[in-house]
C-alpha cells in the first residue's frame, strides 16, 4: 500500500473506534484486495470491512447514530426550498431508488437531478393522496402583536 492509502484506512479504523485486532483484520483485507485490484476499487470496500471487523461495535455505533436522524424542510425562497436529512441506511437506499425510478417517468427535457428533485414532490403528493399540488400558494402570517390601527 502507498502511504496515503494506508493513512486513509488507518484513519477510518481509528474513527470507527476499532481495537488492534479489528484493525489487523481490515489491514489483511486491504492487503489481499490490493494484490488483485487497484486502490480506486478497494477504497470503497474499507467501510464494509470495518463493519465486519467488529460487528458489536458497529451495532453500537448504529444505535448511537440513530439519535441523529432528522429531516428538515426550510429556506423557502423564490418558489423553492431546501431539504436536508439524516436517515437510516436502508431508508436512504430506498429513497434513492424511488427517486430514480420516479425520475425515469418524468419528461426527459430536464437534467436527471432536476427530475429527481421533482420526484420528491411526486412522492409527497402520492403519500397525501393528491394528484397535483396547487401552482400558486398563499402564505398567511398571523401575528400575536395587534396592528397599530387596532389599538
Amino acid at each position: 500500500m502507498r502511504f496515503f492509502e494506508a493513512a486513509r484506512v488507518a484513519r477510518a479504523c481509528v474513527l470507527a473506534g476499532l481495537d488492534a485486532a479489528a484493525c489487523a483484520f481490515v489491514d489483511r483485507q486491504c492487503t489481499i484486495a490490493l494484490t488483485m485490484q487497484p486502490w480506486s476499487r478497494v477504497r470503497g470496500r474499507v467501510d464494509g470491512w470495518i463493519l465486519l471487523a467488529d460487528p458489536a461495535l458497529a451495532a453500537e455505533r448504529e444505535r448511537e447514530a440513530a439519535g441523529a436522524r432528522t429531516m428538515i424542510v426550510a429556506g423557502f425562497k423564490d418558489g423553492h426550498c431546501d431539504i436536508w436529512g439524516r436517515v437510516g441506511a436502508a431508508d436512504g437506499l430506498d429513497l434513492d431508488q424511488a427517486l430514480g425510478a420516479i425520475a425515469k417517468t418524468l419528461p426527459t427535457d430536464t437534467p436527471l437531478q432536476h427530475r429527481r428533485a421533482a420526484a420528491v414532490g411526486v412522492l409527497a403528493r402520492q403519500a397525501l393522496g393528491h394528484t397535483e399540488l396547487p401552482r400558486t400558494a398563499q402564505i398567511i402570517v398571523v401575528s400575536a402583536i395587534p396592528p397599530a390601527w387596532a389599538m
Side-chain angles (χ1 to χ4, degrees):
M1 289 180 90
R2 292 177 292 212
F3 175 77
F4 80 92
E5 298 164 351
R8 180 179 273 181
V9 172
R11 184 171 194 274
C13 289
V14 168
L15 291 175
L18 296 183
D19 62 18
C23 287
F25 171 82
V26 174
D27 183 60
R28 278 191 306 278
Q29 300 307 310
C30 288
T31 301
I32 292 166
L34 284 169
T35 63
M36 298 177 276
Q37 300 172 352
W39 170 247
S40 60
R41 296 198 62 198
V42 172
R43 71 175 170 221
R45 301 181 66 198
V46 172
D47 289 338
W49 292 325
I50 288 172
L51 294 175
L52 290 173
D54 192 339
L57 180 60
E60 177 60 29
R61 284 195 324 269
E62 181 182 5
R63 282 190 294 279
E64 290 174 7
R69 291 181 183 179
T70 186
M71 185 55 63
I72 299 168
V73 179
F76 292 87
K77 184 176 179 184
D78 300 329
H80 294 81
C81 67
D82 298 322
I83 299 174
W84 184 90
R86 178 172 296 274
V87 299
D91 293 338
L93 289 171
D94 287 344
L95 177 61
D96 184 54
Q97 289 180 352
L99 293 176
I102 293 169
K104 289 179 184 176
T105 68
L106 299 176
T108 59
D109 59 340
T110 59
L112 177 61
Q113 291 304 323
H114 292 193
R115 289 182 278 142
R116 286 175 56 85
V120 172
V122 173
L123 277 176
R125 287 188 292 283
Q126 287 176 350
L128 295 172
H130 301 294
T131 58
E132 188 173 320
L133 289 176
R135 291 290 172 208
T136 61
Q138 181 179 10
I139 298 176
I140 301 172
V141 178
V142 178
S143 173
I145 302 170
W149 56 265
M151 293 185 174

